[in-house]
């Protein structure tokens, strides 16, 4: 058992950190205030291989694994969770779904430009009436003229407006419930496929979250992703990987909040000394560091199992559940350490806290993670 990153992984971690601090940090609050989605960052992320970390070099990726991928998401999120979730939705949801379940020609046509960062990806499972109960999808796909006619909508989709490629799910046989759901690939500009309402969010405001609408949208059968009726099952497998990235998002956000609290505790003087000399503040810092470390270990365990080809449903959900709830707690303590200043936008603590909350909701809420973990435990008992 090895708890340390190897030299190459450590080097990669440091170079992503340097990139985030030079290219992202100066703009974080400006993007947050304006809810600006920084699409201009995409070529820079692509240039250093961060848009296709998980995919083989033959498809334009970096040929690395989940340990490296989680490290990348953590480091980006330490500076800005919005960039972290953006790379995560692009990579472990959209691109990875095509990598895992696409045909060779779909991989050449869609995965290669996604992994190279020439294209941006979105993945649409959630609907207005179908969130945690994702198998109750109401979007339909009906066979016609060698293809499919799709009607319905998806909401809360990361990159719904800017994505070049969107993987989305529709019911091809409602009588079969979750076994009647099929995945499809949509290209930007396809007739009848259009983005809709952009959300005005509490946190991760520089990530783009919007709806997409399908109105008699025709796609050929070549755009069907995976076997007919296997879309939901495949989506659940994709989420096993995606949840590792939400754990990484939470760990990165918490790490950023923690570092800002440590810094501030040395600067702020009360009762004639820096507040970090009070044991009450020291204990908070000790608890925060311990919780972040525990979450990071769960994250790396799930990532490492994934890299070994293991089924990670329980490990991914445990990492996601613990890290996301830890993230909210740690970010709240970071505000507390900043006192009144933590409640203002002069310090980063309030933003970290706002950003952290999504982690307990996206890719399955904490309640759903507990259901999955319990199911896995009871299945094998
Ligand atoms: C910023 C952001 C980005 C997102 N990006 C994407 C994306 O790219 N693609 C995508 O497909 N989706 C995305 N989502 C959607 C996200 O995955 C859903 O919001 C999430 O799965 C919860 O669904 P819901 O919002 O409909 O809540 P609901 O399912 O309505 O849940 C409401 C509450 O009820 C609880 N609940 C529901 N069912 C049960 C149950 N059986 N037992 C106990 N409690 C239950 C939930 O835990 C929650 O507390 C995103 C959401 C946000 C906010």
């Amino acid at each position: 058992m090895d708890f340390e990153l190897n030299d190459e992984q450590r080097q990669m971690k440091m170079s992503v950190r340097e990139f985030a601090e030079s290219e992202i940090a100066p703009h974080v609050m400006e993007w947050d205030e304006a809810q600006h989605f920084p699409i201009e960052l995409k070529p820079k992320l692509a240039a250093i291989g961060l848009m296709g970390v998980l995919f083989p070099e033959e498809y334009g990726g970096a040929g690395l694994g989940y340990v490296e991928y989680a490290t990348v998401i953590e480091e980006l999120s330490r500076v800005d969770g919005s960039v972290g979730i953006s790379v995560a939705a692009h990579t472990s949801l959209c691109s990875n779904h095509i990598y895992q379940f696409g045909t060779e020609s779909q991989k050449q046509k869609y995965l290669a430009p996604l992994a190279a960062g020439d294209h941006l990806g979105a993945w649409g499972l959630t609907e207005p009436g179908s969130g945690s109960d994702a198998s109750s999808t109401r979007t339909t796909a009906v066979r016609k003229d060698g293809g499919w006619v799709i009607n319905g909508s998806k909401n809360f989709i990361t990159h719904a407006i800017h994505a070049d490629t969107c993987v989305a799910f529709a019911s091809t046989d409602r009588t079969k419930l979750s076994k009647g759901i099929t995945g499809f690939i949509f290209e930007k500009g396809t007739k009848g496929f259009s983005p809709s309402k952009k959300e005005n969010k509490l946190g991760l405001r520089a990530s783009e979250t919007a709806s997409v609408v399908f109105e008699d949208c025709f796609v050929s059968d070549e755009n069907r992703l995976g076997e007919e009726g296997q879309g939901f099952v495949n989506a659940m497998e994709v989420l096993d990987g995606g949840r590792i990235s939400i754990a990484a998002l939470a760990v990165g956000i918490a790490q950023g909040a923690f570092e800002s609290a440590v810094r501030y505790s040395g600067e702020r003087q009360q009762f004639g000394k820096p507040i970090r000399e009070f044991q009450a503040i020291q204990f908070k810092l000790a608890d925060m560091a311990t919780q972040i470390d525990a979450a990071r270990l769960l994250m790396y365990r799930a990532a490492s199992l994934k890299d070994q080809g293991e089924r990670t449903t329980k490990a991914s959900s445990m990492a996601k559940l613990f890290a996301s709830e830890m993230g909210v707690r740690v970010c709240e303590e970071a505000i507390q350490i900043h006192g009144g200043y933590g409640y203002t936008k002069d310090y980063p603590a309030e933003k970290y806290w706002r950003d952290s909350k999504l982690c307990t909701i996206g890719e399955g809420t904490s309640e759903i993670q507990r259901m999955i973990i319990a199911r896995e435990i009871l299945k094998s008992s």
Side-chain angles (χ1 to χ4, degrees):
M1 203 173 272
D2 187 353
F3 292 103
E4 297 300 325
L5 295 177
N6 64 32
D7 286 348
E8 276 176 21
Q9 291 164 336
R10 256 198 306 275
Q11 211 175 346
M12 187 205 66
K13 183 179 169 81
M14 282 308 123
S15 65
V16 179
R17 180 170 291 201
E18 277 165 28
F19 171 85
E21 286 180 351
S22 63
E23 299 292 337
I24 302 172
H27 310 287
V28 167
M29 280 317 284
E30 167 202 329
W31 292 343
D32 179 77
E33 291 276 307
Q35 293 210 83
H36 169 67
F37 172 56
I39 187 72
E40 64 275 17
L41 198 60
K42 183 166 70 86
K44 296 181 183 175
L45 289 161
I48 55 167
L50 301 190
M51 297 296 278
V53 174
L54 285 177
F55 311 110
E57 289 170 21
E58 62 182 291
Y59 297 118
L64 299 169
Y66 273 83
V67 168
E68 289 85 2
Y69 173 59
T71 304
V72 167
I73 300 298
E74 178 188 333
E75 285 302 322
L76 294 174
S77 306
R78 172 181 166 273
V79 171
D80 191 355
S82 287
V83 179
I85 194 179
S86 182
V87 173
H90 166 88
T91 307
S92 48
L93 295 181
C94 175
S95 308
N96 194 43
H97 200 123
I98 297 171
Y99 177 55
Q100 277 196 255
F101 301 106
T103 61
E104 187 52 38
S105 77
Q106 286 171 336
K107 288 182 201 173
Q108 295 295 346
K109 183 172 178 189
Y110 298 108
L111 176 61
L114 286 165
D118 296 331
H119 284 180
L120 184 68
W123 189 82
L125 181 65
T126 307
E127 297 183 2
S130 166
S132 298
D133 182 12
S135 65
S136 66
T137 184
R138 282 164 207 176
T139 297
T140 56
V142 177
R143 272 189 188 280
K144 192 181 173 192
D145 302 336
W148 301 85
V149 177
I150 323 281
N151 277 287
S153 66
K154 301 282 167 185
N155 71 339
F156 295 143
I157 307 308
T158 303
H159 305 150
I161 299 167
H162 278 87
D164 303 283
T165 304
C166 177
V167 169
F169 305 86
S171 175
T172 40
D173 185 346
R174 296 195 84 153
T175 63
K176 292 188 180 159
L177 306 171
S178 66
K179 299 275 169 54
I181 294 173
T182 304
F184 294 92
I185 303 174
F186 298 88
E187 290 173 40
K188 189 179 196 158
T190 303
K191 192 165 171 271
F193 167 64
S194 51
S196 177
K197 181 183 167 229
K198 180 176 170 177
E199 303 297 340
N200 180 3
K201 305 196 298 291
L202 168 76
L204 299 177
R205 286 164 60 81
S207 73
E208 177 181 270
T209 315
S211 302
V212 292
V213 178
F214 305 94
E215 287 168 307
D216 290 331
C217 174
F218 179 83
V219 289
S220 88
D221 196 50
E222 284 169 14
N223 286 48
R224 176 171 46 79
L225 181 55
E227 296 296 312
E228 187 179 337
Q230 285 299 300
F232 181 78
V233 178
N234 295 348
M236 294 304 110
E237 203 175 317
V238 166
L239 283 171
D240 282 350
R243 285 171 183 148
I244 300 171
S245 71
I246 301 295
L249 177 66
V251 169
I253 292 171
Q255 180 68 32
F258 171 70
E259 288 174 28
S260 80
V262 169
R263 229 173 10 250
Y264 185 81
S265 72
E267 293 162 5
R268 178 67 173 168
Q269 302 243 349
Q270 287 293 281
F271 300 94
K273 49 178 144 172
I275 59 169
R276 64 165 59 165
E277 290 184 21
F278 302 124
Q279 196 177 51
I281 300 293
Q282 291 175 2
F283 280 12
K284 281 189 197 300
L285 294 174
D287 284 345
M288 290 159 83
T290 306
Q291 290 179 55
I292 294 169
D293 236 22
R296 189 180 284 115
L297 287 170
L298 282 173
M299 171 190 92
Y300 276 133
R301 181 184 69 164
S304 169
L305 287 170
K306 192 92 185 139
D307 287 339
Q308 290 165 46
E310 301 281 334
R311 184 172 172 273
T312 64
T313 304
K314 187 170 77 168
S316 294
S317 284
M318 283 180 163
K320 197 266 186 196
L321 172 66
F322 185 82
S324 59
E325 298 200 339
M326 171 288 296
V328 177
R329 279 195 307 273
V330 163
C331 291
E332 192 188 327
E333 285 293 61
I335 295 182
Q336 194 68 18
I337 290 172
H338 283 76
Y341 297 95
Y343 204 66
T344 72
K345 288 180 190 286
D346 293 344
Y347 287 87
E350 63 84 32
K351 177 179 180 293
Y352 282 121
W353 178 72
R354 287 188 284 110
D355 287 351
S356 71
K357 187 57 198 163
L358 180 273
C359 302
T360 69
I361 297 169
E363 298 199 28
T365 61
S366 286
E367 291 75 14
I368 296 302
Q369 301 315 309
R370 288 189 168 88
M371 283 167 55
I372 294 168
I373 296 163
R375 196 189 303 140
E376 291 292 312
I377 294 166
L378 298 177
K379 199 164 73 179
S380 56
S381 73

